[in-house]
Amino acid sequence: RNGQFFDIQANLEIGLDDVICSSGSWDSCTSTTSHNCGHHEDVHLNCVSEGDMFTIVNEAGEDGQGRGLLLYHGQTVCDDSFSDNSAIAICGLMGYDGFD
C-alpha cells in the first residue's frame, strides 16, 4: 500500500527510491537514495511475524509492530518500482515471515 496516511510523513525526508528486487532476498535488490517522489508515494507495509536499517512506525511515530509506514534509516521509502519482491525482501530482512 502506498500514500500519505500519517501526519508524521510530512516531517520526514524521503530516503530510498527505485527499490527493485529480483527475488524475496534483500541481496537481490537495488535502490537509490536520490528520489523524484512525494509523500503520497510512501510505502506502507504489513509484515507478518525487526532490523536497524528498516523500521515500521504507526501514526504516532512509535513501533508499528510490523504494520505501518516503512522507514529507511529514519526516512520514508518511495513506491517507485516497489514490488511484492521488495516487500518480501524487506520484511525478511526485518525478521518477518512475509507480508499481506
Side-chain angles (χ1 to χ4, degrees):
R1 202 169 103 169
N2 63 347
Q4 188 162 354
F5 303 108
F6 299 165
D7 292 335
I8 66 166
Q9 287 174 251
N11 298 326
L12 299 169
E13 296 291 325
I14 296 170
L16 203 59
D17 192 8
D18 296 322
V19 178
I20 301 170
C21 302
S22 61
S23 74
S25 170
W26 180 248
D27 292 336
S28 77
C29 303
T30 61
S31 61
T32 181
T33 55
S34 61
H35 71 86
N36 60 347
C37 304
H39 285 297
H40 64 281
E41 299 175 272
D42 287 347
V43 173
H44 295 253
L45 281 180
N46 182 26
C47 296
V48 183
S49 185
E50 236 172 294
D52 296 333
M53 187 181 329
F54 291 100
T55 55
I56 296 180
V57 298
N58 63 20
E59 190 169 2
E62 300 165 347
D63 182 3
Q65 298 182 5
R67 181 183 194 103
L69 177 64
L70 178 64
L71 300 181
Y72 170 76
H73 293 294
Q75 301 174 321
T76 64
V77 176
C78 181
D79 70 347
D80 290 355
S81 303
F82 201 91
S83 67
D84 285 355
N85 278 338
S86 304
I88 292 166
I90 290 170
C91 287
L93 187 67
M94 295 176 68
Y96 293 100
D97 296 328
F99 78 102
D100 63 11

